[in-house]
Amino acid sequence: MKTDPRVDAYIAQAPPFAQPILQEARSRVGKAYPSAEETIKWNVPFFLLGDKILASMAAFKKHVKVGVWTGMMPKFVDVSELSELPPSKDFAQQLQTAAKAIDGAMTSKPAKEASAEPANKAAASNAPAKKAPAKKAPAKKAPAKKAPANKGVAKKAPASKPAAKKAPASKAPAKKAPAKASAPKTARR
């Protein structure tokens, strides 16, 4: 099995109770699948076949989680002592099942792509034609709801045009507009 020095470092930094469990799980994966490759993903050791996850292990404060991955559905076992690991034969069987699923997924993928076109045509000829969903017109905006009026206060009639915003009042006196230029005034006598 191709080992990764980061996995060695992970095991060395694990709590003392977890180190023999991690080493045993690593050894079992290596014996069952020498072609597996170690790596670190999400800060924990993983074992890969090709680019697919076969198994993983992670040490926590009080237990170790050992998982065998069958597709996206891992089967985990929480272990606090080495004796709690599944028997070697059972673990190897779980790894073998996961490897078959990985191998099946890797070899059948191109075949699915090649046979997808004829299968789609056959399915299309047997299935009733589906209608495209109708496009919905954009929803009209509902008129804004008014706050409930207090009793005794008359309701205002809705304005046809929105009221112009008033400029904030300033404390400085308003400047007078310059007077219009007019014909020069003549002095009266």
Side-chain angles (χ1 to χ4, degrees):
M1 176 170 67
K2 184 177 176 186
T3 60
D4 187 332
R6 298 176 298 169
V7 175
D8 294 326
Y10 182 89
I11 293 172
Q13 292 174 354
F17 82 92
Q19 292 176 0
I21 299 168
L22 294 169
Q23 289 170 344
E24 180 63 21
R26 180 188 204 185
S27 171
R28 289 183 184 187
V29 172
K31 285 178 186 174
Y33 281 91
S35 60
E37 191 175 317
E38 289 182 339
T39 189
I40 297 285
K41 289 181 176 278
W42 304 287
N43 298 322
V44 297
F46 278 81
F47 302 92
L48 307 175
L49 280 180
D51 63 345
K52 305 289 183 185
I53 299 172
L54 174 66
S56 64
M57 57 186 186
F60 297 94
K61 288 182 182 178
K62 299 198 179 207
H63 72 281
V64 173
K65 192 173 282 281
V66 178
V68 177
W69 294 65
T70 305
M72 297 303 290
M73 300 293 292
K75 182 179 178 186
F76 289 109
V77 177
D78 290 346
V79 180
S80 299
E81 296 179 8
L82 190 57
S83 62
E84 294 175 346
L85 271 174
S88 295
K89 287 184 179 180
D90 292 346
F91 192 71
Q93 182 62 41
Q94 291 175 0
L95 289 170
Q96 194 172 39
T97 303
K100 284 180 183 177
I102 290 170
D103 189 41
M106 292 172 76
T107 57
S108 65
K109 199 171 194 178
K112 283 183 183 178
E113 290 173 3
S115 65
E117 191 175 325
N120 287 343
K121 286 182 181 179
S125 63
N126 294 339
K130 291 182 182 178
K131 293 182 180 178
K135 291 184 179 179
K136 292 183 180 180
K140 293 182 180 179
K141 291 184 180 179
K145 292 184 179 180
K146 295 180 182 178
N150 293 336
K151 290 183 180 180
V153 177
K155 292 183 181 180
K156 282 186 172 180
S160 58
K161 294 182 182 178
K165 292 183 179 179
K166 293 182 180 179
S170 63
K171 294 183 180 180
K175 294 183 180 180
K176 292 184 180 180
K180 290 183 179 179
S182 58
K185 294 185 181 179
T186 54
R188 292 189 179 174
R189 292 189 208 188

